[in-house]
Amino acid sequence: MTRVDVAGHSVSTEHYIGGRRVGSAQTFEDRSPIDGTLLAEVSRGDAATADQALAAATEAFPAWAALGPEGRAAHLHRLAELIDANVDRIAEVECLDMAMLERSLKARVIGRGARNFRAYADLSVAYAERVWESNGTVNRVLRRPSGPAVVITPWNAPFMLSTWKTAPALAAGCTVVLKPAEWSPLSCSMLFDLVDEAGFPPGVFNLVQGIGEEVGPALTADPRVRRLSFTGSTDTARIIGRAAADGIVPFTAELGGKNPLVVFADADLDLAAQKAALQYDDAGQVCLSGTRLLVEESVRDAFLERFHARVDAHVLGDPRDEATTISPLIHADHLARVSGFVERARAAGDEIVRGGRQPVIGGLWYEPTLVYPASNESEIVQHEVFGPVLTLQTFATEDEAIALANSTRYGLSGIVFTGSAERAERVGRAIRAGTVWVNCFLVRDLTAPFGGVGWSGIGREGGDYALDFYADLETLQILDGSVS
Ligand code: NAD
């Protein structure tokens, strides 16, 4: 068994298959975005690894499904307790691995993993079969676990996002093979030490590490897979979606966003500016970030004055430091992608108002950047950058604001600032996005549906919506009076 020391904690670099750690002969390098330090040589899964994991998940499935919601919930609750007891360790490793701010990881992000397992354990136990009479029959909806699920997750907030998807799958009675992203694989590996400690039956919950393009096709095209659940980029979703189509396998995808943050003249401008400046947190590597600032013309200057003051207060630095608010980007390739967007915008005539370059400290940091696009068709307005880059456009009327908000192919979230209840209702309903927040941001109720419209995704997770996805809903219909 191969383990390395990361931030003073022992982390396995191997897969977890059939209830034990399994290595691969090939490995890939995992470096810290903070200073490029080599953190681990991680097992590089291949088609044989995928086969082994799917065999384990397939073998474990009947007993896990038969255990029923209460039996499964007991395992999920045990895992949640272990996560709570290990928040700091996981946060310290994830901070080195992904460079998310350590204090956010410790205060809320990792603990959300425990909340995910608890919430789905409780929801699955509380589920009541729908029963009704019609046409002289009793109808009953059965929620039957669907089989092994493959869950593929991205590099941002890797621990939290993987638990968000695997918790409902396990609670619903699926067995799971999780494939985390290769740029931040370590906190998910720590999860499987806890899965082991919680005593999950072997094969119920498996981890395969590796490069997406290498191990992904074997995981997604296998006929044993009954559900495919993906969070990541729109481009990768297209590839996995094709595998889902070939196998006629239900597929859910939580994808990127180009989310509007709309500020009306009747809004609390201090609050709006504070939340707008927060969109640079975690270097803007947050799918839900409001990256398109849409501001009512009459308050543009008043908003910008407050916004710039807030952005001036940002501190680029080591994500382990209390004072830091902007961490480095995940990888040199990603930095090149982000700066490529800004350079193309500059060349195309968009105005770079602030930032637009790497700071003098070097490394993988990028300055918080604001762009006034030359047109709504500018690439930087229409495509997800996934970095600390915002655009600002103005509008004169509510209709214009709504039209701009809905003018991209994405629809993950919308953020609206207004003091009017009627406008909150009107605009909140008019914006086409999976989640619209009014006068707040990132407040989540785990029972609410979550997902995207258009290029932002397919299907809904959250609450019963996720439990339904991981089940086959079947109707049982019995003729009245025909049985006693
Ligand atoms: P990505 O699509 O590059 O990779 C995501 C995962 O897919 C990784 O585990 C990767 O290894 C795997 N993968 C890559 N190619 C594959 C293939 N051919 N077959 C199977 N798996 C493959 O995305 P990323 O860069 O890791 O993540 C950033 C993206 O994720 C952004 O677009 C962001 O908006 C989005 N995201 C969305 C949400 C949401 O909830 N909607 C949350 C977080 C991130």
Side-chain angles (χ1 to χ4, degrees):
M1 179 154 51
T2 310
R3 302 187 75 92
V4 288
D5 183 293
V6 180
H9 308 299
S10 165
V11 183
S12 170
T13 60
E14 296 181 320
H15 319 291
Y16 181 83
I17 297 174
R20 61 188 185 87
R21 291 287 176 178
V22 176
S24 284
Q26 303 294 318
T27 58
F28 64 93
E29 283 190 352
D30 176 39
R31 292 184 178 273
S32 174
I34 302 173
D35 56 8
T37 305
L38 180 65
L39 298 176
E41 299 272 3
V42 180
S43 282
R44 187 171 184 148
D46 57 15
T49 323
D51 176 61
Q52 203 182 347
L54 288 170
T58 304
E59 195 184 332
F61 172 68
W64 183 245
L67 200 53
E70 283 85 3
R72 294 191 293 264
H75 286 90
L76 268 57
H77 276 294
R78 263 200 302 281
L79 183 56
E81 280 163 27
L82 288 168
I83 293 171
D84 275 339
N86 286 279
V87 162
D88 285 359
R89 291 176 57 240
I90 299 166
E92 284 159 19
V93 170
E94 186 161 303
C95 177
L96 273 187
D97 203 17
M98 193 246 141
M100 201 180 206
L101 297 177
E102 190 176 282
R103 65 174 179 283
S104 323
L105 287 166
K106 287 187 172 173
R108 54 183 180 83
V109 182
I110 301 299
R112 169 69 195 280
R115 279 179 61 209
N116 289 337
F117 283 109
R118 259 186 211 113
Y120 281 108
D122 293 344
L123 274 170
S124 61
V125 169
Y127 177 72
E129 275 178 10
R130 192 175 152 222
V131 183
W132 75 103
E133 291 237 3
S134 71
N135 303 319
T137 64
V138 177
N139 301 264
R140 217 176 270 274
V141 178
L142 312 180
R143 199 192 242 174
R144 204 189 285 284
S146 51
V150 165
V151 175
I152 299 180
T153 49
W155 49 260
N156 68 315
F159 186 88
M160 192 282 279
L161 286 173
S162 68
T163 60
W164 171 239
K165 301 176 89 64
T166 56
L170 292 163
C174 291
T175 51
V176 171
V177 177
L178 170 68
K179 209 302 273 170
E182 52 270 39
W183 282 352
S184 55
L186 299 183
S187 51
C188 283
S189 180
M190 295 176 88
L191 174 66
F192 285 83
D193 286 346
L194 306 182
V195 167
D196 203 66
E197 197 177 334
F200 273 65
V204 165
F205 198 6
N206 307 278
L207 170 75
V208 168
Q209 301 280 19
I211 311 293
E213 293 80 356
E214 291 175 6
V215 72
L219 283 172
T220 53
D222 193 287
R224 289 167 291 191
V225 176
R226 296 315 313 143
R227 288 296 181 274
L228 278 169
S229 178
F230 172 70
T231 301
S233 66
T234 306
D235 285 343
T236 306
R238 292 191 175 99
I239 297 171
I240 298 178
R242 277 180 217 121
D246 284 345
I248 317 289
V249 175
F251 166 55
T252 175
E254 296 186 349
L255 309 177
K258 195 69 203 180
N259 312 303
L261 187 155
V262 190
V263 183
F264 286 99
D266 60 11
D268 174 341
L269 290 186
D270 287 322
L271 178 70
Q274 181 226 335
K275 297 289 185 204
L278 273 182
Q279 308 304 314
Y280 292 122
D281 279 16
D282 293 312
Q285 300 170 126
V286 179
C287 56
L288 294 161
S289 281
T291 50
R292 288 186 297 135
L293 308 182
L294 306 177
V295 181
E296 191 160 348
E297 185 67 57
S298 60
V299 291
R300 175 184 186 273
D301 293 346
F303 169 81
L304 274 174
E305 190 187 325
R306 291 166 171 80
F307 173 76
H308 284 303
R310 295 273 181 182
V311 181
D312 288 344
H314 269 303
V315 178
L316 280 73
D318 189 316
R320 291 166 293 189
D321 293 347
E322 266 300 307
T324 299
T325 60
I326 297 190
S327 42
L329 294 166
I330 181 79
H331 195 277
D333 291 355
H334 191 55
L335 174 63
R337 182 176 182 275
V338 168
S339 71
F341 266 106
V342 176
E343 288 321 311
R344 287 194 298 281
R346 208 190 298 274
D350 298 331
E351 187 185 347
I352 314 300
V353 184
R354 68 176 300 155
R357 56 174 183 231
Q358 282 190 261
V360 282
I361 54 174
L364 299 182
W365 282 264
Y366 198 78
E367 286 192 350
T369 297
L370 183 66
V371 180
Y372 293 166
S375 124
N376 193 48
E377 303 316 310
S378 294
E379 183 198 37
I380 203 124
V381 176
Q382 293 295 328
H383 290 274
E384 184 188 48
V385 178
F386 216 52
V389 179
L390 308 183
T391 58
L392 186 136
Q393 296 163 276
T394 57
F395 61 86
T397 64
E398 189 178 294
D399 283 349
E400 201 186 332
I402 293 166
L404 281 170
N406 290 338
S407 67
T408 76
R409 302 287 296 268
Y410 296 93
L412 189 58
S413 77
I415 309 154
V416 179
F417 291 93
T418 176
S420 153
E422 288 85 20
R423 175 170 276 151
E425 200 68 32
R426 268 195 317 269
V427 177
R429 286 171 184 274
I431 291 181
R432 298 295 324 283
T435 304
V436 177
W437 284 288
V438 179
N439 299 327
C440 58
F441 176 54
L442 285 189
V443 187
R444 290 291 321 284
D445 181 318
L446 302 189
T447 62
F450 180 83
V453 171
W455 280 1
S456 290
I458 300 174
R460 289 293 175 268
E461 301 203 349
D464 280 343
Y465 306 93
L467 291 171
D468 282 351
F469 171 73
Y470 289 107
D472 292 319
L473 298 184
E474 298 175 359
T475 304
L476 175 65
Q477 209 171 358
I478 300 176
L479 186 66
D480 270 349
S482 66
V483 290
S484 56

